[in-house]
Structures are given as C-alpha cells and as structure tokens.
Amino acid sequence: MASIALENIRKSYGGMPVIHGIDVAIEDGEFVVLVGPSGCGKSTLLRMIAGLEAITDGALSIGGHVVNDVAPKDRDIAMVFQNYALYPHMTVAENMSFSLRLRGVAKVEISRQVEKAAKILGLEPLLDRRPRQLSGGQRQRVAMGRAIVRDAAVFLFDEPLSNLDAKLRVAMRAEIKELHQRLKITTVYVTHDQTEAMTMADRIVVMRDGVVEQVGAPLDIYDRPATIFVAGFIGTPAMNLLTGRIQADNPRTFRTTDGSALPVSGKFEHASANRDIVYGVRPDSLVIDEQDGMPATVAVVEPTGSETLVIVRMANDEIGVVFRERVSMRPGDVIRLGVKAGSEHLFDAVSGKRLSEAG
Ligand SMILES: Nc1ncnc2c1ncn2[C@@H]1O[C@H](COP(=O)(O)OP(=O)(O)OP(=O)(O)O)[C@@H](O)[C@H]1O
Ligand SMILES: [Mg+2]
C-alpha cells in the first residue's frame, strides 16, 4: 500500500505543454477518480504515474519516495487499460499469472495468487477457458485479476469500462468499488464519465485543459462546485447556467440578460451588482410556483419513468427541469417556475470562480 504525491507535475510534447503543473496528494488506500473532457490530460497524467510517460517537470512520489526516474516495473503498480488485450491463446489462469511467470515466481505461489484473485472476482469456474469463450464483463474481470495477482501497492485504471454495455458498466462499477473496499489498495481511476466519478470515488479530481479545476469528495463538489466549468460538468442532467446581474436596487433579485428574474438567497446577498454573474441552478432545484414563479414555456417533455425531464424556454434561455412526480405537461404549455430556497450557485462570469458565501 502507498500514498501518491504529485507536486507541480508538468508535461510537454515537443515543447507543447499539455499538463500545466498539477498538485494532488493521494492518501494510502484512497480511491481517486480523475475526470474531465476528452483531451484534458487524464491518460497522460496516469501514464506518468505508471512510468510509461516521462515527467517534464515536478516531483512524483509513491510511498514517500520520489520515483520520477524509477522504471515502471519497479514502481509496484498494476494498470488496467481500456482495451485490456488478453492473450487469446492463453487460458484465464495463464493470462492472470503471466506477469508472475515472467518474473520466475514459484509455481505453488503462482497458483495460490491466481486462486485468491479468482475467488475475489468470481472467476473460479472459468479458469480453464480462453478469452473468446468469455463475455465482455468476464474478460474485464480477468484483466482486473491480472492486476490483483501482482499484489501491487497501487492500482491504475484508464477507462476500463468503456467497452462494456450500459448495464454491465453499472455492475462492474459496483464490483470495482467493492473490490477496493475489500483490498484497500490505493487506486487512481480515469474516466470521462461524471456518473462513474461520482459513484466510485472517495475523492474526485476534475481536470480541464491540463489543469485541476477542483479536488474534493463527490457530494462536496456537487454541492459547491468551485467554477462554472465544474458546475456544468458534474451532475446529470447538467446544471442550468444563466448570465446576468444582481439587480442594483434589490440584492435578492438576479436579472438575466433577457430580463427574467430569479431569487437570490441570503448566502449571496452581498454579491456585487456591478459585475456579470452566472447564476446556476440544478434541474431538480426548480419547482412549480403558481404564485411567484417566472413564466416559462414547455418545449420538450422526456419521461424516464422514475422522473421527467422537461425543457422549458424562459425568454431566450433554455432550461432543464426535473420532476420526480408524474407531470401532465405538453409542449406549448406555460408553467411558472420557482427556485428552491438557497439552492442557487453564483459565479463570476469573467473569472469563472464561485462567489464567496455568507456564513
Ligand atoms: N504522444 C503525444 N504527442 C503529442 N501530444 C499528445 C501525445 N499524447 C497526448 N497528447 C496530447 O495531450 C493532451 C492530453 O491527452 P490525453 O490522452 O492525456 O487526454 P485524455 O484526457 O486522456 O483524453 P480522452 O478522454 O480522450 O482519453 C491532448 O491534447 C493530446 O492531443
Ligand atoms: Mg485518455
């Protein structure tokens, strides 16, 4: 087991910087998810931790030792990739034990390790099969088994579930989480799927264009996104983001550029009226308010069974609203929407940063 420390980590490809100085301290036994849009540098960062990519600048420590110049095989890590390429001509057991055999580990010890991993992953009845005789999820588990038998101090995963269908992804997500709870091996997991990040992580690192936007526990990030980018990226359906200003003569009212009025709660009443602000409100923080709500016209109704997503137009803004109860709305209907007290998020439109809150 081991902690991992990234200090001012940078990466350039041929003089072109792609990682711009990243600081993250990962505790021993923690499950950290790196999440962000395609091209933001998640895989590059993970590959630097693995030693598969040279670090341009900064210090990377594993277990308290700087390992910038330590070869991958000496870093005590196991990695599972998106295309987990199993050897087709080897059985499940042979695939899992490959690295141990390569290292010349004794036969008895190899079968002990393989049996242990197979038990953890429910692969015992499949040990003599070849990869083509397995389902996608079973192959995925063999790839994880290969990592487990190495008995490494750190697990690194790069989008390991992206080849699986939606249902299997959810099942494997839970399996990986349970595996971590049992083994408590420090894990860094890369995904662009914010739901995967929310559900699996002890802590999430939200990345964008080679920098860290925010680090925190999933619900802390959800409840208090530090930037407009994080607000729009974490949470599904996405947070509504409306540009406008606090009304000069009434700090409890926000006016969108189109003139719609939205309530501002006590926590933001000291926000300045003299700057452009982005008002964020999650789709499930909007409610029907026949008396004081703002009028909005229903554009699209999307029932999922357990809830209904309704897209409405308020002036020129398009807004998503989630109703947990069944609704009988149709396109063209005019409804009146209120904001649940204190559920708004305010950001400086220029810096993109969250405004400070009272209390
Ligand atoms: N070998 C390379 N040479 C030059 N540029 C590279 C190289 N590898 C990656 N990059 C660039 O570095 C940036 C980060 O790439 P990276 O693969 O880390 O992104 P990512 O966050 O993993 O994206 P995805 O979600 O699509 O996998 C991208 O702009 C990419 O084009
Ligand atoms: Mg990647």
Side-chain angles (χ1 to χ4, degrees):
M1 302 242 250
S3 60
I4 304 171
L6 310 177
E7 288 171 77
N8 196 20
I9 295 288
R10 291 171 189 274
K11 176 74 186 178
S12 302
Y13 286 110
M16 170 81 166
V18 294
I19 300 282
H20 307 280
I22 285 190
D23 292 283
V24 180
I26 298 167
E27 283 170 39
D28 185 15
E30 208 176 8
F31 195 116
V32 166
V33 175
L34 307 180
V35 71
S38 182
C40 72
K42 307 178 294 292
S43 296
T44 303
L45 196 58
L46 198 74
R47 291 169 59 81
M48 284 195 282
I49 298 173
L52 302 173
E53 204 70 72
I55 297 170
T56 306
D57 201 7
L60 168 71
S61 314
I62 299 178
H65 302 285
V66 175
V67 294
N68 286 42
D69 299 320
V70 174
K73 65 176 175 47
D74 299 323
R75 289 193 188 189
D76 207 6
I77 50 163
M79 189 155 174
V80 180
F81 298 94
Q82 174 179 346
N83 47 355
Y84 32 81
L86 302 173
Y87 298 105
H89 57 286
M90 292 185 198
T91 63
V92 167
E94 285 163 353
N95 262 288
M96 289 197 339
S97 61
F98 185 70
S99 70
L100 299 184
R101 284 186 283 140
L102 214 58
R103 266 192 274 158
V105 174
K107 270 215 172 102
V108 201
E109 177 61 14
I110 289 180
S111 34
R112 202 181 65 81
Q113 289 290 351
V114 169
E115 272 164 37
K116 190 178 93 181
K119 191 161 176 221
I120 290 172
L121 294 163
L123 288 171
E124 289 156 304
L126 307 175
L127 284 173
D128 295 325
R129 293 219 199 154
R130 300 198 194 272
R132 66 182 153 74
Q133 300 167 306
L134 303 174
S135 74
Q138 289 166 339
R139 278 180 222 168
Q140 179 60 56
R141 271 184 271 158
V142 177
M144 279 202 291
R146 236 176 6 186
I148 291 175
V149 296
R150 300 197 40 192
D151 217 1
V154 174
F155 277 170
L156 304 178
F157 293 94
D158 193 349
E159 311 244 13
L161 307 185
S162 47
N163 290 336
L164 307 180
D165 69 42
K167 201 167 173 189
L168 205 47
R169 286 178 76 123
V170 174
M172 288 306 298
R173 199 161 86 189
E175 271 187 45
I176 293 178
K177 191 168 172 173
E178 202 193 326
L179 187 68
H180 177 257
Q181 280 158 5
R182 230 183 307 166
L183 302 179
K184 282 280 170 231
I185 293 175
T186 313
T187 302
V188 187
Y189 185 104
V190 163
T191 179
H192 60 267
D193 179 340
Q194 63 86 33
T195 308
E196 231 166 81
M198 285 295 290
T199 52
M200 298 178 84
D202 290 325
R203 276 193 309 153
I204 295 178
V205 176
V206 185
M207 291 177 62
R208 177 201 197 187
D209 293 342
V211 300
V212 169
E213 286 270 317
Q214 188 170 6
V215 181
L219 292 179
D220 289 343
I221 290 186
Y222 184 88
D223 289 341
R224 288 180 50 88
T227 65
I228 297 172
F229 173 79
V230 175
F233 190 77
I234 298 287
T236 179
M239 187 188 284
N240 299 295
L241 297 164
L242 306 162
T243 307
R245 285 192 172 206
I246 303 274
Q247 201 168 301
D249 58 359
N250 180 3
R252 289 301 192 94
T253 301
F254 176 87
R255 285 237 171 247
T256 67
T257 319
D258 295 329
S260 308
L262 293 153
V264 175
S265 63
K267 63 180 182 178
F268 286 120
E269 68 184 349
H270 303 295
S272 162
N274 298 320
R275 58 174 165 183
D276 289 336
I277 283 176
V278 169
Y279 185 107
V281 60
R282 294 210 182 271
D284 59 357
S285 296
L286 291 163
V287 289
I288 298 286
D289 180 349
E290 297 292 354
Q291 300 235 306
D292 304 318
M294 322 93 30
T297 308
V298 174
V300 182
V301 179
E302 298 180 353
T304 66
S306 62
E307 55 187 36
T308 307
L309 173 63
V310 179
I311 310 289
V312 301
R313 291 221 170 77
M314 203 177 70
N316 285 321
D317 288 311
E318 204 163 83
I319 295 178
V321 189
V322 165
F323 295 102
R324 295 273 141 72
E325 66 280 10
R326 297 277 161 106
V327 294
S328 55
M329 291 171 194
R330 292 215 213 118
D333 288 356
V334 174
I335 58 173
R336 298 185 79 93
L337 287 176
V339 177
K340 279 187 197 162
S343 68
E344 82 280 13
H345 304 258
L346 299 192
F347 305 92
D348 185 293
V350 177
S351 71
K353 296 226 159 70
R354 184 184 189 87
L355 300 187
S356 58
E357 294 168 36

